[in-house]
């Protein structure tokens, strides 16, 4: 342990001193290694650590100049290191030294020049001397995996390719002895030792890495048999009950299917399956069939499925989503789609045969049926409509028959969940076959009366999913029907939802509202809205009438519960109807505001007499829930409204009258953050129409909210986020309102922005930086006020930006911090700021100007905060930051180098400093992937396709 710590310390010293002050480090450590084996083993460990520090972990830990310097030094002296490794492999007798040498070599293989690999006897030595030996087998296979993953076009194509083929032949020959062809690998793995289990994992990595990089080298007639044997071996490994190994093989099968798909046109493969056998893909036909069976048997659970089986064999509702399983399902789904394109007939045959066995066997297996149905749902859209129809008719018929014949609530729940998942994945089929659509909808309504945990939830979710994709089929009167399906549903709505819980009822109402929203006839739409909302409105009127007779009725728990449920149902409908909800809102709007005022007064009275603990009582919490639901409903409507002038004239004045005085007068514990959220939506939607109301909003909202959040950085987190969002909305859409504020009020705005960006909570800090950046842009567009603004706030802004930039807690905000600083510096350096920024005592020379003051100010600011900085290096950093010719990326690199040079940043994870580049790369990859997926039928799942796809 002590030696390991000393090694780490030495590596840190070398990073600072080598090569400038210790140019002979590599020769010294190599020469000393040949004196004895123990020292050699430790020196190899040091070289391995140094390689990792320079080539793997250097980003964000050292300046770019230092990184390049160390990499160049490593490359310059690597011949000595390689000679040491080779000397050790050839002459060492200690197993631990040989193992350390192989470990060190493994760290070098991903960056050293390929000549050291392919122009030496390294590969032969690894394959013949170390791979057959049990104690070195795993580490050697790791080294061979790195080598085998080097593409053959690296270096001289012919020699590199032939060497890689020889490597593969030697490994497979050895494997034939280690793993006889008759070996049941999944069974052997289940009882294997830790080392043997690791060997199977490393073997999967080797095969997948080699195939991805160099499969074409062994697809020739000379090596075709070996290629197929290796793929068969990988198929067996895919069945191993180990999720990580399966993920490794799955990634390769997906890449293989993608490559073959682009070589064999999908349309040709479906119409003429023989096209596969006459192409390069023909050799893989039996392999791909095995892969299909494997993936079907191991299909992961989609996130839409809410019913699962626990360890005791009980069928329950899933409480917590397993994100890893969902991610695995998405990858498996992609692979299944490509495999279907390559041979849809084989895919359908395998699935229908497996389903037939499940339906006819009295001892059918739940997990097998689940995996099969999840696989069936995963290939939606991957074949033409006619093929999909033939396949799906059989599937749905068999599942419905199985559900009717099966006994036992748990069994029926499993089959019901599979039926709902499958039908929800095939909206194209349902749109094209009205009778099947109606049969499925009626079956869902049956499931809504089933009390088994999860069934009702899934029935409502599936109904919502189908409605969003097929909603236009509910509007017309279809063949053989007397009325449209939506009318039939609304006429029976009370019966359909009679066994549902409030949240499920709201999902059902929201789904029906999607149908109503697409009714093109305004009169018919109004009729449907009235019919849909008849029951909630009837209950609402009853509650209002009883409240008018006695206000004490509103204090009853059941009353508050009913009110909250009705408001939540209205909110669900508003989100689907959009602006058309105006008809319904007008009927209850004034009553809602009166209810809001009543409960506001009741809450204030309770808290004023009972203290802060009264805010946590059951009655007060129930009142506040009703208030919050009122605000959420109004927010949902305004956000989707399409007539800003009408909304502003008719809905905003009574809303502000009811909401703002209540917020101002309430005690902190009784103030609802939903008020701030609603104000953000109102301003973002109505924009400049609210400019005249901003002073009033400021008076009622800003002082009381700032009093709540300024004491620390943690209390009232929801209020903080919404408050800063409100400041941002005002700045973006009502900027002119700032001109009407007094200097004291505007200072309060600026203080809140600075306060926001100093938060350690990431969202609050990012919002603060966004506001400041947008505010500075607005200020620059108003030259008549810019000088006055910069005179008052330039110094403070620069100082506080440097505070958050250098405190190691706000690295995620680096992008905006750098952007703001550069814009401020450019404003000075380019002469845009005319007014003097310095104070009289700072005028050290008669020709003082803003540019010279800024250099002196920043130099003094940083030297005071970091007294250990070298003055010359600091001067270079400051001059670099103020170089007006630098673009933003170069400015950021200058800032990063400065931060990495600080000892506060030296020992921390600085990856967030490169967050922007990472996000840009990820965004480009996502865009590329989206484009790729859109070009392959079936890759985009129904849930991600346009709402009205083919639905017109």
């Amino acid at each position: 342990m002590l030696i390991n710590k000393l090694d780490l310390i030495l590596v840190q010293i070398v990073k600072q001193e080598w090569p400038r002050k210790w140019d002979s480090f590599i020769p010294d450590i190599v020469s000393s290694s040949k004196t004895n084996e123990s020292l050699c083993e430790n020196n190899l460990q040091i070289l391995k650590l140094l390689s990792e520090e320079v080539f793997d972990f250097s980003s964000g830990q050292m300046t770019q100049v230092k990184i390049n310097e160390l990499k160049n030094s490593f490359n310059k002296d690597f011949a000595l290191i390689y000679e040491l490794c080779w000397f050790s492999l050839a002459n060492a007798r200690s197993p631990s030294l040989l193992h350390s040498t192989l470990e060190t070599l493994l760290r070098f293989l991903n960056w050293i020049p390929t000549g050291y690999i392919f122009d030496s006897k390294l590969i032969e030595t690894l394959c013949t001397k170390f791979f057959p030996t049990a104690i070195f087998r795993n580490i050697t296979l790791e080294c061979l995996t790195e080598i085998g993953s080097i593409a053959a076009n690296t270096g001289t194509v012919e020699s590199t390719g032939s060497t890689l083929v020889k490597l593969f032949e030697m490994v497979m020959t050895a494997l034939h002895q280690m793993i006889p062809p008759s070996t049941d690998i999944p069974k052997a793995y289940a009882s294997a030792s830790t080392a043997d289990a690791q060997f199977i994992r490393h073997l999967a990595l080797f095969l997948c890495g080699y195939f991805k990089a160099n499969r074409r080298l062994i697809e020739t007639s000379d090596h075709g048999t070996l290629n197929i044997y290796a793929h068969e071996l990988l198929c067996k490994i895919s069945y191993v009950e180990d999720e990580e190994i399966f993920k490794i093989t799955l990634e390769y099968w997906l890449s293989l299917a993608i490559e073959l798909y682009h070589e064999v046109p999908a349309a040709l493969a479906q119409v003429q399956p023989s096209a596969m056998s006459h192409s390069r893909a023909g050799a893989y036909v039996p392999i791909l069939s095995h892969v299909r069976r494997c993936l079907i048997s191991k299909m992961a659970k989609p996130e839409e499925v809410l019913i699962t089986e626990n360890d005791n064999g009980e069928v329950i509702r899933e409480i917590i989503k397993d994100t890893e399983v969902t991610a695995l399902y998405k990858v498996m789904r992609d692979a299944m789609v490509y495999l279907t394109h390559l041979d849809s007939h084989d895919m359908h045959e395998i699935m229908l045969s497996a389903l037939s066995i499940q339906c006819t066997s009295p001892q059918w297996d739940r997990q097998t049926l689940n995996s099969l149905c999840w696989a069936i749902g995963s290939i939606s859209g991957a074949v033409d409509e006619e093929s999909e129809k033939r396949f799906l008719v059989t599937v749905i018929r068999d599942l419905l028959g199985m559900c009717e014949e099966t006994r036992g609530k748990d069994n029926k729940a499993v089959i019901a969940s599979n039926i709902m998942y499958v039908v929800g994945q095939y909206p194209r089929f349902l749109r094209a076959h009205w009778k099947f659509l109606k049969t499925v909808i009626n079956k869902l309504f049956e499931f809504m009366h089933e009390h088994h945990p999860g069934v009702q939830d899934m029935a409502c979710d599936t109904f919502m999913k189908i409605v969003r994709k097929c909603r236009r089929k509910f509007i017309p009167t279809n063949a053989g029907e007397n009325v449209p399906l939506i009318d039939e549903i609304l006429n029976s709505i009370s019966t359909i939802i009679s066994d549902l819980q409030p949240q499920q009822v709201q999902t059902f109402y929201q789904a029906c509202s999607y149908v109503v929203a697409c009714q093109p006839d305004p009169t018919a739409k109004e009729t449907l809205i009235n019919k849909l909302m008849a029951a909630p409105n009837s209950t609402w009127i009853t509650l209002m009438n009883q409240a008018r007779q006695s206000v004490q009725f509103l204090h009853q728990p059941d009353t508050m519960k009913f009110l909250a449920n009705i408001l939540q149902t209205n909110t669900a409908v508003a989100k689907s109807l959009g602006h058309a909800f105006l008809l319904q809102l007008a009927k209850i709007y004034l009553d809602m505001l009166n209810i809001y005022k009543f409960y506001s007064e009741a809450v204030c009275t309770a808290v004023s007499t009972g203290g802060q603990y009264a805010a946590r009582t059951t009655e007060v919490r129930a009142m506040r829930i009703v208030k919050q639901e009122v605000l959420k409903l109004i927010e949902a409507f305004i956000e989707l409204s399409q007539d800003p002038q009408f909304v502003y004239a008719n809905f905003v004045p009574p809303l502000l009258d009811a909401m703002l005085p209540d917020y101002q007068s309430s005690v902190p514990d009784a103030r609802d953050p939903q008020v701030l959220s609603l104000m953000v939506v109102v301003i973002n939607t109505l924009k400049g129409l609210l400019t005249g109301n901003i002073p009033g909003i400021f008076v009622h909202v800003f002082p009381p909210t700032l009093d709540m959040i300024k004491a620390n950085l943690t209390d009232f987190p929801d209020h903080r986020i919404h408050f800063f969002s409100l400041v941002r909305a005002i700045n973006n859409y009502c900027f002119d309102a700032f001109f009407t504020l007094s200097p004291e009020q505007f200072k309060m705005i600026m203080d809140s922005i600075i306060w926001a960006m100093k938060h350690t909570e990431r969202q609050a800090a990012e919002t603060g930086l966004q506001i400041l950046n947008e505010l500075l842009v607005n200020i620059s567009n108003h030259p008549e006020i810019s000088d006055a603004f910069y005179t008052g706030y330039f110094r403070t802004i620069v100082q506080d930006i440097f505070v958050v930039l250098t405190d190691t807690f706000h690295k995620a905000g680096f992008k905006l911090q750098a952007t703001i600083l550069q814009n401020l510096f450019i404003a000075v350096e380019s002469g845009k700021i005319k007014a003097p920024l310095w104070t009289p005592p700072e005028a050290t020379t008669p020709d003082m100007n803003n540019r010279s003051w800024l250099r002196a100010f920043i130099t003094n600011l940083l030297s005071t905060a970091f007294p250990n900085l070298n003055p010359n290096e600091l001067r270079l950093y400051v001059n670099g930051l103020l170089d007006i010719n630098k673009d933003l990326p170069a400015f950021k690199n200058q800032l990063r180098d400065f931060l990495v040079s600080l000892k506060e940043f030296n020992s921390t994870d600085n990856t967030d400093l490169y967050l922007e580049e990472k996000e840009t790369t990820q965004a480009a990859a996502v865009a590329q992937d989206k484009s790729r997926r859109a070009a392959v039928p079936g890759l985009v799942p129904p849930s991600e396709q346009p709402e009205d796809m083919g639905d017109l």
Side-chain angles (χ1 to χ4, degrees), residues 101 502 577 811:
T101 304
L577 283 179
K811 296 175 187 176

Side-chain angles (χ1 to χ4, degrees), residues 626-690:
V626 176
K627 289 178 61 182
Q628 290 167 6
E629 294 305 328
V630 168
L631 298 174
K632 289 178 182 178
L633 173 53
I634 298 172
E635 181 177 317
F637 167 71
I638 290 180
E639 191 168 22
L640 297 173
S641 62
Q642 298 173 356
D643 190 344
Q645 290 284 356
F646 182 84
V647 171
Y648 176 73
N650 294 278
F651 288 92
V652 171
L655 173 64
L656 297 181
D657 289 343
M659 186 174 61
L660 295 182
D662 165 61
Y663 185 87
Q664 182 184 34
S665 61
S666 296
V667 298
D669 286 332
R671 291 192 184 117
D672 293 312
Q674 197 67 38
V675 170
L676 303 176
S677 175
L678 175 54
M679 291 310 308
V680 173
V681 169
V682 170
I683 295 173
N684 285 339
T685 304
L686 305 185
K687 298 182 171 53
L689 293 173
L690 266 291

Side-chain angles (χ1 to χ4, degrees), residues 558-769:
D558 286 345
T559 302
M560 291 184 277
K561 183 178 179 181
F562 286 139
L563 286 171
N565 287 339
I566 293 172
L567 290 168
Q568 288 166 353
T569 301
N570 273 272
T571 302
V573 173
K575 290 178 179 178
S576 298
L577 283 179
H579 191 73
F581 185 73
L582 174 65
L583 173 71
Q584 166 65 14
L585 184 62
K587 296 178 181 179
I588 62 174
Y589 189 66
L590 294 181
D591 283 339
M592 281 169 46
L593 294 183
N594 288 332
I595 289 290
Y596 184 89
K597 291 178 182 178
F598 174 82
Y599 282 129
S600 294
E601 294 173 0
V603 169
C604 285
T605 301
V607 173
S608 62
T609 56
Q612 61 178 347
Y613 295 105
R616 300 182 180 90
T617 62
T618 303
E619 182 181 9
V620 171
R621 288 171 62 188
M623 294 178 187
R624 293 188 64 186
I625 288 174
V626 176
K627 289 178 61 182
Q628 290 167 6
E629 294 305 328
V630 168
L631 298 174
K632 289 178 182 178
L633 173 53
I634 298 172
E635 181 177 317
F637 167 71
I638 290 180
E639 191 168 22
L640 297 173
S641 62
Q642 298 173 356
D643 190 344
Q645 290 284 356
F646 182 84
V647 171
Y648 176 73
N650 294 278
F651 288 92
V652 171
L655 173 64
L656 297 181
D657 289 343
M659 186 174 61
L660 295 182
D662 165 61
Y663 185 87
Q664 182 184 34
S665 61
S666 296
V667 298
D669 286 332
R671 291 192 184 117
D672 293 312
Q674 197 67 38
V675 170
L676 303 176
S677 175
L678 175 54
M679 291 310 308
V680 173
V681 169
V682 170
I683 295 173
N684 285 339
T685 304
L686 305 185
K687 298 182 171 53
L689 293 173
L690 266 291
T691 300
N693 300 92
I694 297 303
I697 294 173
F698 182 93
V699 170
H700 288 91
V701 170
F702 276 63
T705 306
L706 284 173
D707 286 342
M708 293 166 60
I709 66 176
K710 69 183 181 183
N712 55 54
L713 296 171
T714 56
D715 290 346
F716 305 104
D718 292 336
H719 290 77
R720 292 174 191 274
I721 297 300
H722 294 316
F723 174 75
F724 297 137
S725 298
L726 175 60
V727 176
R728 187 181 184 193
I730 294 173
N731 177 58
N732 285 340
Y733 299 112
C734 304
F735 179 73
D736 290 345
F738 287 156
F739 302 154
T740 65
L741 301 178
S742 67
E744 292 77 15
Q745 290 175 323
F746 185 74
K747 185 177 184 305
M748 191 179 295
I749 295 281
M750 291 303 300
D751 288 345
S752 67
I753 295 173
I754 299 299
W755 179 240
M757 72 181 192
K758 290 183 177 180
H759 274 65
T760 52
E761 201 283 321
R762 184 167 176 171
Q763 185 179 352
E766 185 173 349
T767 302
L769 290 168

Side-chain angles (χ1 to χ4, degrees), residues 727-728 731 749-750 753-754 756-757 765-779 789 793 796-798 800-801 804 816-817 820-821 823-824:
V727 176
R728 187 181 184 193
N731 177 58
I749 295 281
M750 291 303 300
I753 295 173
I754 299 299
M757 72 181 192
E766 185 173 349
T767 302
L769 290 168
Q770 289 170 337
I771 299 169
L772 181 57
N773 188 46
E774 292 159 355
L775 177 68
L776 293 175
V777 171
N778 285 337
I779 291 292
F789 172 82
Y793 295 101
T796 300
I797 293 173
V798 170
D800 286 319
I801 287 290
V804 296
L816 282 171
Q817 295 161 3
I820 293 169
L821 275 182
N823 288 339
L824 289 172

Side-chain angles (χ1 to χ4, degrees), residues 382-668:
V383 297
D384 62 89
E385 289 195 51
E386 187 59 33
S387 299
E388 186 173 271
K389 173 187 174 182
R390 291 195 301 269
F391 171 65
L392 205 57
V393 165
T394 304
V395 169
I396 295 177
R397 184 190 63 222
D398 288 354
L399 287 175
L400 288 175
M402 190 179 182
C403 188
E404 292 296 328
E405 296 174 6
T406 301
R407 297 292 176 263
K409 283 188 172 294
D410 281 0
N411 291 335
K412 279 186 172 292
V414 169
I415 299 172
S417 73
N418 285 317
I419 291 173
M420 289 186 284
Y421 173 69
V422 170
V423 298
Q425 294 302 108
Y426 286 87
R428 181 177 68 174
F429 170 80
L430 296 177
R431 283 196 301 271
H433 300 87
W434 158 250
K435 290 186 177 179
F436 261 100
L437 172 60
K438 187 173 182 183
T439 299
V440 166
I441 294 298
N442 288 331
K443 197 66 181 177
L444 291 177
F445 292 164
E446 287 182 29
F447 292 151
M448 289 180 190
H449 296 285
E450 173 58 59
H451 292 285
H452 196 287
V455 174
Q456 290 175 310
D457 282 327
M458 196 166 176
C460 292
D461 290 347
T462 305
F463 178 59
M464 169 72 83
K465 184 189 300 184
I466 292 175
V467 160
R468 296 188 72 161
K469 302 301 180 183
C470 309
R471 57 190 181 275
R472 297 185 190 278
K473 299 301 178 183
F474 290 69
I475 294 297
T477 302
N478 291 282
E481 304 293 333
N482 297 321
V483 295
L485 182 55
I486 184 60
D487 286 284
E488 189 177 326
I489 293 172
L490 296 183
N491 290 337
S492 307
I493 192 170
S494 58
T495 302
I496 296 171
I497 67 174
S498 59
D499 290 324
L500 298 180
Q501 297 299 311
Q503 188 174 0
Q504 297 161 348
V505 170
Q506 291 151 26
T507 300
F508 186 88
Y509 266 84
Q510 187 172 5
C512 291
S513 301
Y514 275 114
V515 177
V516 174
C518 70
Q519 168 59 259
D521 183 354
T523 304
K525 181 183 289 187
E526 182 175 341
T527 301
L528 290 176
I529 293 174
N530 289 332
K531 189 182 292 188
L532 175 66
M533 301 305 297
N537 285 347
S538 176
T539 305
W540 179 268
I541 291 171
T542 301
L543 294 175
M544 293 301 102
N545 288 337
Q546 290 181 280
R548 291 185 184 96
Q549 295 174 11
S550 173
V551 293
Q552 291 304 312
F553 174 74
L554 294 176
H555 285 281
Q556 295 179 12
D558 286 345
T559 302
M560 291 184 277
K561 183 178 179 181
F562 286 139
L563 286 171
N565 287 339
I566 293 172
L567 290 168
Q568 288 166 353
T569 301
N570 273 272
T571 302
V573 173
K575 290 178 179 178
S576 298
L577 283 179
H579 191 73
F581 185 73
L582 174 65
L583 173 71
Q584 166 65 14
L585 184 62
K587 296 178 181 179
I588 62 174
Y589 189 66
L590 294 181
D591 283 339
M592 281 169 46
L593 294 183
N594 288 332
I595 289 290
Y596 184 89
K597 291 178 182 178
F598 174 82
Y599 282 129
S600 294
E601 294 173 0
V603 169
C604 285
T605 301
V607 173
S608 62
T609 56
Q612 61 178 347
Y613 295 105
R616 300 182 180 90
T617 62
T618 303
E619 182 181 9
V620 171
R621 288 171 62 188
M623 294 178 187
R624 293 188 64 186
I625 288 174
V626 176
K627 289 178 61 182
Q628 290 167 6
E629 294 305 328
V630 168
L631 298 174
K632 289 178 182 178
L633 173 53
I634 298 172
E635 181 177 317
F637 167 71
I638 290 180
E639 191 168 22
L640 297 173
S641 62
Q642 298 173 356
D643 190 344
Q645 290 284 356
F646 182 84
V647 171
Y648 176 73
N650 294 278
F651 288 92
V652 171
L655 173 64
L656 297 181
D657 289 343
M659 186 174 61
L660 295 182
D662 165 61
Y663 185 87
Q664 182 184 34
S665 61
S666 296
V667 298

